[in-house]
Amino acid sequence: MISNLMQRLNHQKQRFLLLWLLLRKGRVSLRKLRNAFANTVAFRRRSEVAGHAPTLALLDISSHCNMYCVTCRRSRTDLIDISGQSELKTPLGSMTMECFSSIVDDLHRDTLLISLYATGEPLLNRRVADMVLYASRRGLATMLSTNGMLLDREVSGKILRAGIDYCKVAVSGFTQDVYGVYHRGGDVAKVLANIAGFEDERRRLGLRCMVVVDYVLFEHNRHEEMAVRRFCREHGLQFTLRYGRTFEDSGVSSPAESRVHYLPRNTPCDWVWKIMVFCHDGRAVPCCQFATCAVSPFVMGTGEENSAISIWNGMQYREFRRIQATHGRKALPLCRDCFYSGIDFQS
């Protein structure tokens, strides 16, 4: 209980620090806050119409990855379809600059933050710095979630100068033997050096960006958590902890205390009222789990063909919210066993 309480308090601290940073950088407006409030009210009322735009949008700028983590991919080219409904491989690709800019143009006035990540490694998209710069110039806050392998000094400098606001790097150990159990194909020494280098470059340039080490906790790597915490303190980095998710025959075990966290929820999912996800090809889907599907059971629209604003309160989204409001998650196979809730640093 103490551990879970401390984890929740740390997430609250992270939210406050990020909001304070965005305020200082001029990324937050009253219009964006009103929209976020409207989405929260719509969720509580179970309304089929939400605010003008999502509070947060996830843009999967690359579904390719240079690793194949245990619960994510069978190989570097085979993303696990979480729905389990198809034997087909999930198509992989990179979002074009044209698709990205079209979505940003629709969202920048109302959406609080966009994440350049959903299923893959965003640094594999060669236009990633251009995308961050485009969003920054439109006043839209950007978040990058990466495995850190490609985050060298050159890339770090480009992304920082482009205006990135939040950079999160996932690690699952401090030594290679432990780290390699989950992060297959990665080099922890290189990742940690890149994280430290990113923070050094940020300070050298005098730029504001929240740099976070995201520790993915399993039973096999519990003993190295404190070493990663020390690394963060030594380099002036933020530290977050999240429970590693496991599937049957994955070969890794989630911590015992995470069992309550991973219990399926039957209450309506607030993501449907707050968060929007765009696949690499511009398809809008309800959440990141739908983005892993070889054939997505719900496609709300396409970013280049329809405006993101029109998709957000379009007929597909309204119907999806009606289903959630009336039947909770149990009416939808992919939602039935889902535990996601809230805009958090957990997932």
Side-chain angles (χ1 to χ4, degrees):
M1 287 298 292
I2 298 294
S3 175
N4 287 332
L5 175 60
M6 293 302 294
Q7 189 174 347
R8 287 196 298 272
L9 290 174
N10 185 49
H11 291 169
Q12 292 287 3
K13 172 190 171 184
Q14 298 290 329
R15 291 191 196 97
F16 174 80
L17 290 174
L18 178 58
L19 181 59
W20 177 240
L21 181 143
L22 297 183
L23 283 166
R24 293 176 71 190
K25 293 182 74 170
R27 304 283 201 235
V28 179
S29 66
L30 286 175
R31 178 169 174 166
K32 292 178 181 180
L33 293 176
R34 281 198 301 267
N35 180 69
F37 180 73
N39 285 331
T40 299
V41 170
F43 167 63
R44 290 180 177 175
R45 292 178 176 174
R46 307 297 193 254
S47 170
E48 66 181 55
V49 177
H52 190 63
T55 304
L56 170 67
L58 279 61
L59 279 64
D60 201 15
I61 66 170
S62 174
S63 57
H64 294 284
C65 196
N66 53 343
M67 291 191 194
Y68 51 110
C69 299
V70 171
T71 57
C72 182
R73 295 168 191 260
R74 297 177 185 88
S75 70
R76 287 183 175 87
T77 58
D78 190 4
L79 180 65
I80 293 174
D81 183 340
I82 294 177
S83 71
Q85 65 178 1
S86 173
E87 295 299 320
L88 299 173
K89 282 193 175 183
T90 302
L92 305 180
S94 295
M95 184 174 285
T96 65
M97 189 68 199
E98 292 71 25
C99 180
F100 179 88
S101 58
S102 175
I103 295 169
V104 167
D105 287 345
D106 289 337
L107 298 180
H108 75 278
R109 293 184 184 88
D110 300 281
T111 296
L112 193 59
L113 175 72
I114 61 168
S115 172
L116 280 65
Y117 164 82
T119 67
E121 172 50 54
L123 297 183
L124 287 172
N125 189 315
R126 295 183 179 181
R127 301 296 302 273
V128 58
D130 296 330
M131 291 174 172
V132 173
L133 180 62
Y134 189 86
S136 297
R137 286 177 172 172
R138 301 293 270 164
L140 184 54
T142 52
M143 167 184 171
L144 192 70
S145 182
T146 172
N147 59 42
M149 282 288 290
L150 302 176
L151 198 65
D152 59 25
R153 287 277 183 157
E154 181 182 359
V155 171
S156 296
K158 288 180 179 179
I159 294 170
L160 283 162
R161 283 189 289 269
I164 192 72
D165 299 294
Y166 181 101
C167 182
K168 180 176 74 170
V169 185
V171 299
S172 59
F174 193 72
T175 62
Q176 186 60 34
D177 286 347
V178 173
Y179 174 84
V181 172
Y182 177 73
H183 276 101
R184 296 181 299 189
D187 180 341
V188 71
K190 182 176 182 179
V191 169
L192 294 174
N194 284 347
I195 298 169
F198 185 93
E199 175 61 9
D200 288 346
E201 190 70 6
R202 183 197 69 78
R203 293 181 183 183
R204 187 184 71 81
L205 294 170
L207 298 172
R208 295 191 181 105
C209 175
M210 191 168 168
V211 187
V212 178
V213 174
D214 184 37
Y215 196 74
V216 189
L217 184 68
F218 296 96
E219 284 295 346
H220 74 271
N221 67 0
R222 185 188 294 276
H223 63 291
E224 293 197 343
E225 176 193 335
M226 295 310 297
V228 176
R229 286 184 182 270
R230 283 195 300 271
F231 171 84
C232 291
R233 286 195 298 269
E234 290 167 1
H235 293 278
L237 305 164
Q238 296 293 322
F239 176 93
T240 60
L241 180 74
R242 64 180 163 107
Y243 300 127
R245 186 179 184 183
T246 59
F247 299 114
E248 189 176 352
D249 300 324
S250 63
V252 290
S253 301
S254 295
E257 66 269 25
S258 72
R259 291 169 187 165
V260 173
H261 173 76
Y262 283 127
L263 288 176
R265 301 169 187 258
N266 190 41
T267 54
C269 178
D270 61 341
W271 280 48
V272 187
W273 282 266
K274 298 176 182 177
I275 302 175
M276 196 175 190
V277 178
F278 288 93
C279 301
H280 69 88
D281 55 5
R283 288 176 297 121
V285 293
C287 82
C288 52
Q289 295 201 98
F290 285 85
T292 71
C293 299
V295 181
S296 182
F298 279 93
V299 176
M300 306 306 193
T302 304
E304 282 188 294
E305 296 175 4
N306 318 104
S307 76
I309 299 300
S310 67
I311 296 172
W312 180 241
N313 279 313
M315 293 306 298
Q316 290 91 336
Y317 251 112
R318 292 187 183 196
E319 176 61 22
F320 199 86
R321 291 180 187 126
R322 271 197 298 270
I323 294 171
Q324 288 276 337
T326 306
H327 304 289
R329 308 185 191 206
K330 61 184 179 182
L332 302 165
L334 194 51
C335 302
R336 190 174 298 138
D337 297 323
C338 183
F339 58 89
Y340 285 171
S341 177
I343 298 174
D344 207 343
F345 294 89
Q346 177 64 33
S347 34

